[in-house]
Amino acid sequence: MSGDHIPDPDHIARYCGGKQIDENGRIDGAAFRLRRRDGIPEEYLSVNWLEFLATVNRPAQVAALQAVFLSKAFKVGSTARFAVLNVGDLRAYVRDESPDRRELSVLHEPEQDDASHCGLYGLRMDDDLISDLIAGIVHETYSAKAG
Amino acid sequence: MRTKTTTSTPVDVEDLGESNVSREAAGERGIRIKLRPAATTTFHIGGKGFRRYVVRNGLLTVTAKRVLGKSQTKAVVKEKEWGHTSEVTEAIKPFTIGEKIPYRQVIRARLRRLKEHLTATTHAPEVSLGERVAGICAHPGLRFAERLGARLQALLAISDEEQPEQAPPALASVKSLVAFLAAHPELVYPSVVLTQEGNVRVQWGGGPNKHFAVEFLGDGDVRFVIFAPDPRHPYKTIRVSGSATVDSVMRLAEPYDVRSWTDELFVGADAQ
């Protein structure tokens, strides 16, 4: 349901364009920044709730997510990756390590063509330090392009 | 007879007082002049003896060790900027050991020339991003020119392929990065990415407490993030972020000991 908190044991995936992935395959913090759309700052960082898609295993969840992106009018880059994060680990790490003890939350924000869509709340524009903190705890990435 | 001088802590030329400064004093103290925009330029004053001035990131520093010969009346000034070399021969008053040397006049003449050159560079017809990136591969002032050029070309290709709503790479940001790296040849090769706004962002380290990232905004400013061990409590991590100018960010970062993982001297030539 829209606005529900995603449980801490669950996982989210962030689509990261190839431009924000370095030569060693590490996701840069630039992939976790809010953007301005038509001059208006985003309210949250778009992510997807993996357990909502499938509960079997990670490959099944990633395959389902690839299918979601394929069905949307979204150009998936050949070098783009999904960065997977555990919700509880993410929130605890940012809370413990950020200078302002930042409290993040992940809320379900389903869209018509993307029921697993969620928002990562608590970020601000030009929040480079928090974005780099988040990038630092990404240990799992998968190709965003199917096949 | 030659006098050997050593370069120590540089001082601003304005601090040197009157225009005539003794050769020994200037040699011992060195001379540093603030100059914008950022550039890497080497001046050679040719002849029997020589002096060498290096402009790095807006600072002009005397690094020479020898004085000019007694009969020296001309100075050849070579200026290098963006691979372009210009050579100017200029009359310089001959002097002997112990004589006062018009450092300020000499340097002012060099500065005027450099400023004219930089202005001319600024007003030159703009090249495309692709041309600029291709040119980086052969940039004489960059230690990792080929690797950096290849990486930027790869990022350009990714940018072309990915979402059209995202900004293309910013030429000004690329130029700013190149000027920065040319001014800091001591840095090891960083990881290079593009932000969603199209700015170049480089990063050294990658560990949870050794992280130094710099985003080049293209207007001479940068945004940076530093994660570093607390020097007094190494098990704790200091985290700072902020904005700075391209020519000041390294000095701002130095208290956090980022050099220990960004400098070739500490990291080793083959690292990263």
Side-chain angles (χ1 to χ4, degrees):
Chain A
M1 199 175 125
S2 180
D4 283 352
H5 281 268
I6 308 305
D8 278 355
D10 284 5
H11 296 80
I12 52 172
R14 166 73 176 167
Y15 174 90
C16 305
K19 291 189 295 184
Q20 280 100 49
I21 301 171
D22 75 13
E23 290 156 290
N24 299 313
R26 285 180 304 201
I27 310 286
D28 189 87
F32 297 96
R33 290 184 192 168
L34 296 180
R35 282 178 285 181
R36 284 187 174 82
R37 291 186 185 278
D38 301 323
I40 301 166
E42 287 180 327
E43 193 182 355
Y44 54 77
L45 194 74
S46 281
V47 292
N48 286 82
W49 183 8
L50 291 183
E51 281 75 5
F52 181 91
L53 290 163
T55 54
V56 187
N57 53 34
R58 185 75 79 238
Q61 293 167 347
V62 172
L65 188 55
Q66 288 169 339
V68 168
F69 272 73
L70 197 63
S71 68
K72 297 200 279 190
F74 189 89
K75 170 79 173 144
V76 177
S78 57
T79 54
R81 311 282 294 176
F82 289 126
V84 175
L85 293 154
N86 172 266
V87 173
D89 289 349
L90 165 67
R91 296 180 62 235
Y93 187 69
V94 172
R95 186 193 309 119
D96 293 346
E97 304 297 334
S98 58
D100 59 357
R101 302 211 157 252
R102 189 73 60 85
E103 197 68 56
L104 301 181
S105 55
V106 187
L107 305 183
H108 195 196
E109 300 284 355
E111 294 176 343
Q112 200 167 12
D113 56 357
D114 187 357
S116 68
H117 184 258
C118 295
L120 176 59
Y121 286 85
L123 295 171
R124 300 171 193 150
M125 287 301 297
D126 303 331
D127 228 346
D128 299 357
L129 193 151
I130 304 290
S131 303
D132 283 6
L133 271 180
I134 296 172
I137 55 162
V138 172
H139 300 302
E140 242 185 291
T141 70
Y142 300 90
S143 173
K145 200 152 187 145
Chain B
M1 180 179 155
R2 285 176 180 168
T3 302
K4 218 171 189 178
T5 59
T6 54
T7 305
S8 56
T9 310
V11 295
D12 287 342
V13 73
E14 286 75 13
D15 294 340
L16 296 175
E18 294 303 312
S19 59
N20 285 350
V21 180
S22 77
R23 172 172 51 242
E24 288 76 14
E28 284 166 12
R29 298 173 71 191
I31 296 175
R32 192 170 70 178
I33 298 174
K34 288 185 177 177
L35 178 73
R36 289 175 68 89
T40 298
T41 302
T42 301
F43 297 98
H44 292 280
I45 300 182
K48 188 177 172 186
F50 66 90
R51 278 195 177 73
R52 193 162 153 257
Y53 302 83
V54 178
V55 176
R56 273 189 187 160
N57 219 17
L59 297 176
L60 190 148
T61 309
V62 175
T63 59
K65 302 292 188 294
R66 294 178 187 174
V67 296
L68 291 167
K70 191 176 177 181
S71 60
Q72 184 66 41
T73 55
K74 301 263 182 176
V76 179
V77 180
K78 285 184 181 174
E79 299 176 356
K80 274 191 176 180
E81 171 71 7
W82 284 94
H84 169 72
T85 303
S86 61
E87 202 169 299
V88 180
T89 301
E90 188 178 304
I92 284 186
K93 181 190 165 196
F95 58 91
T96 56
I97 304 298
E99 190 181 345
K100 306 288 185 188
I101 303 170
Y103 271 94
R104 180 175 277 190
Q105 291 169 22
V106 171
I107 289 168
R108 276 185 176 159
R110 305 293 177 275
L111 281 174
R112 198 168 49 247
R113 249 175 242 295
L114 180 64
K115 282 174 181 170
E116 284 168 9
H117 176 67
L118 291 175
T119 307
T121 304
T122 306
H123 294 158
E126 199 58 87
V127 297
S128 72
L129 181 63
E131 287 171 324
R132 175 68 74 185
V133 168
I136 288 170
C137 294
H139 194 296
L142 288 178
R143 286 179 53 229
F144 304 104
E146 209 168 315
R147 187 173 175 188
L148 179 67
R151 173 61 179 158
L152 290 171
Q153 282 176 323
L155 287 169
L156 267 177
I158 294 169
S159 184
D160 286 342
E161 184 209 9
E162 287 187 343
Q163 306 97 305
E165 74 268 19
Q166 288 196 1
L171 177 59
S173 178
V174 172
K175 287 167 72 174
S176 195
L177 164 75
V178 169
F180 174 79
L181 291 178
H184 294 284
E186 72 279 8
L187 296 175
V188 295
Y189 185 79
S191 67
V192 184
V193 299
L194 291 177
T195 66
Q196 288 154 348
E197 293 78 24
N199 293 326
V200 184
R201 190 172 199 247
V202 298
Q203 188 227 298
W204 291 268
N209 66 350
K210 285 186 176 175
H211 172 83
F212 179 41
V214 182
E215 177 181 348
F216 296 86
L217 303 182
D219 55 358
D221 287 344
V222 297
R223 276 163 45 181
F224 65 90
V225 178
I226 299 169
F227 300 165
D230 185 328
R232 299 193 68 160
H233 308 282
Y235 57 92
K236 288 185 178 266
T237 302
I238 294 172
R239 295 186 179 87
V240 292
S241 63
S243 301
T245 55
V246 174
D247 54 0
S248 66
V249 67
M250 284 310 297
R251 270 176 292 158
L252 286 170
E254 269 170 16
Y256 302 100
D257 199 28
V258 300
R259 296 267 184 200
S260 68
W261 71 90
T262 63
D263 271 31
E264 188 176 294
L265 182 65
F266 300 102
V267 179
D270 296 324
Q272 298 201 14

